[in-house]
């Protein structure tokens, strides 16, 4: 793998770049490096999977590096590296469980190894978390359920991909004991104003919650009042306690660091 990344002015910023992979040739990606990033340290890696129509710029569009820096510099969360790839050049047809994307995002996939080598993030000690929105929420569940010991925490936002329920349920049954033993922290979130739930009767989040409860796989399920389907609606939602949901996500991913 080769990269066109330049570290100049990248620390404390969200940077867009590309790397060359065997599975998909030139792959666009983004990476956020914390303000205190050093090449001789190691960091938790958070993989972000965008939704349909999104790309490597989706995270940057709705999340400000300055806000992430502030949360780190004030001690709200420890240093963390956040990164994600464009799921497909055909953004309407993106699926995270394709063979090509698995070659990049599986526990020892090309992009994960690239982040370990290039950004010092995602080592066995520091761990890998995964977060996804919409189709990315289904993708996050796919990777957790298929590779039950690979991730420390998983957040699935706006999971409405009902067509993935069958395969995700099958993997949950097959890997049930390993998922329980791994103690991976899973959070499933759906908005009360999600248009796919309200207008198209999509039930994936609710049905996965019910199924995981039935087979006794620990997880947390939240319906967020007033939240619509968009990633920005999830990230910028404030809890009754006044905490921004994006910060809450990062606190969950950074637990134990």
């Amino acid at each position: 793998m080769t990269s066109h990344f330049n570290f100049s002015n990248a620390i404390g910023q969200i940077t867009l770049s590309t790397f060359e992979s065997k599975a998909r040739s030139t792959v666009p990606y983004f990476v956020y490096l914390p303000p205190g990033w050093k090449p001789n340290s190691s960091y938790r890696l958070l993989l972000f999977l965008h939704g349909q129509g999104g790309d490597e710029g989706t995270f940057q569009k709705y999340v400000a590096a300055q806000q992430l820096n502030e949360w780190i510099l004030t001690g709200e969360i420890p240093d963390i590296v956040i990164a994600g790839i464009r799921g497909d050049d055909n953004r309407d047809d993106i699926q995270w469980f394709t063979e090509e994307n698995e070659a990049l995002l599986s526990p020892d996939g090309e992009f994960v190894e690239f982040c370990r080598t290039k950004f010092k993030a995602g080592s066995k000690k520091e761990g890998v978390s995964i977060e996804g929105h919409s189709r990315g929420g289904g993708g996050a569940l796919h990777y957790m359920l298929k590779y039950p010991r690979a991730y420390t925490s998983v957040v699935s936002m706006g999971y409405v991909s009902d067509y993935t329920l069958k395969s995700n349920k099958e993997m949950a049954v097959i890997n049930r004991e390993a998922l329980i033993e791994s103690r991976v922290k899973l959070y499933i979130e759906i908005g009360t104003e999600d248009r796919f739930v309200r207008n198209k009767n999509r039930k994936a989040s609710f049905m996965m919650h019910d199924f995981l409860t039935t087979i006794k796989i620990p997880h947390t399920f939240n319906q967020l009042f007033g939240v619509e389907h968009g990633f920005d609606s999830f990230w910028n939602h404030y809890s009754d306690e006044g905490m921004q949901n994006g910060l809450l996500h990062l606190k969950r991913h950074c637990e134990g660091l």
Side-chain angles (χ1 to χ4, degrees):
M1 292 175 289
T2 59
S3 170
H4 306 291
F5 190 85
N6 186 340
F7 279 93
S8 300
N9 301 318
I11 297 172
Q13 301 294 326
I14 298 172
T15 304
L16 305 184
S17 189
T18 61
F19 81 105
E20 302 298 324
S21 83
K22 295 178 181 178
R24 281 185 44 201
S25 187
T26 302
V27 179
Y29 73 94
F30 82 89
V31 64
Y32 165 75
L33 300 181
W37 186 90
K38 296 180 177 63
N40 57 349
S41 297
S42 59
Y43 303 92
R44 168 70 55 86
L45 173 63
L46 171 58
L47 294 172
F48 175 76
L49 309 184
H50 64 74
Q52 180 182 4
D55 59 21
E56 72 283 359
T58 297
F59 189 83
Q60 183 186 47
K61 183 177 181 180
Y62 299 112
V63 181
Q66 182 179 356
Q67 180 68 86
L68 299 174
N69 293 342
E70 181 180 339
W71 289 337
I72 290 172
L73 293 172
T74 57
E76 291 278 5
I77 56 171
D79 289 341
I80 187 170
V81 170
I82 307 171
I85 62 171
R86 180 189 299 178
D88 199 305
D89 288 334
N90 187 339
R91 298 171 205 180
D92 287 333
D93 291 338
I94 165 62
Q95 298 294 350
W96 290 104
F97 50 75
T98 62
E99 182 178 345
E100 294 81 5
N101 280 332
E102 289 231 17
L104 296 170
L105 297 171
S106 60
D108 295 311
E110 288 186 86
F111 186 66
V112 176
E113 289 294 344
F114 173 74
C115 290
R116 287 173 180 150
T117 301
K118 192 77 173 180
F119 306 125
K120 312 304 178 185
S123 68
K124 301 298 183 184
K125 176 183 177 183
E126 302 297 342
V128 179
S129 296
I130 189 165
E131 176 160 329
H133 167 250
S134 193
R135 288 192 182 184
L141 287 167
H142 167 85
Y143 285 99
M144 185 202 84
L145 297 170
K146 186 170 183 177
Y147 304 101
R149 293 186 173 90
Y151 309 102
T152 57
S153 56
V154 176
V155 173
S156 175
M157 297 170 280
Y159 174 44
V160 291
S161 303
D162 290 14
Y163 57 90
T164 66
L165 276 168
K166 183 176 184 294
S167 61
N168 279 343
K169 286 180 178 180
E170 289 172 351
M171 289 187 292
V173 171
I174 291 170
N175 293 319
R176 178 180 175 274
E177 290 186 11
L179 287 162
I180 294 172
E181 291 172 1
S182 72
R183 297 187 177 181
V184 57
K185 301 178 182 69
L186 169 61
Y187 304 88
I188 301 174
E189 298 178 346
I190 190 71
T192 60
E193 303 306 309
D194 192 299
R195 65 182 184 275
F196 290 98
V197 176
R198 293 172 65 90
N199 301 332
K200 297 187 177 182
N201 198 33
R202 300 285 183 86
K203 300 178 179 180
S205 290
F206 302 95
M207 294 181 72
M208 181 55 68
H209 161 57
D210 289 343
F211 182 74
L212 294 176
T213 300
T214 298
I215 65 174
K216 295 182 171 55
I217 291 180
H219 66 286
T220 299
F221 176 73
N222 289 317
Q223 285 185 267
L224 304 183
F225 182 76
V227 168
E228 301 173 358
H229 186 70
F231 168 59
D232 56 325
S233 189
F234 282 94
W235 186 266
N236 294 313
H237 172 73
Y238 277 80
S239 68
D240 292 340
E241 292 75 26
M243 182 178 292
Q244 185 177 336
N245 203 37
L247 175 58
L248 178 59
H249 285 190
L250 294 176
K251 283 180 172 291
R252 288 167 168 169
H253 292 310
C254 291
E255 285 178 358
L257 290 182

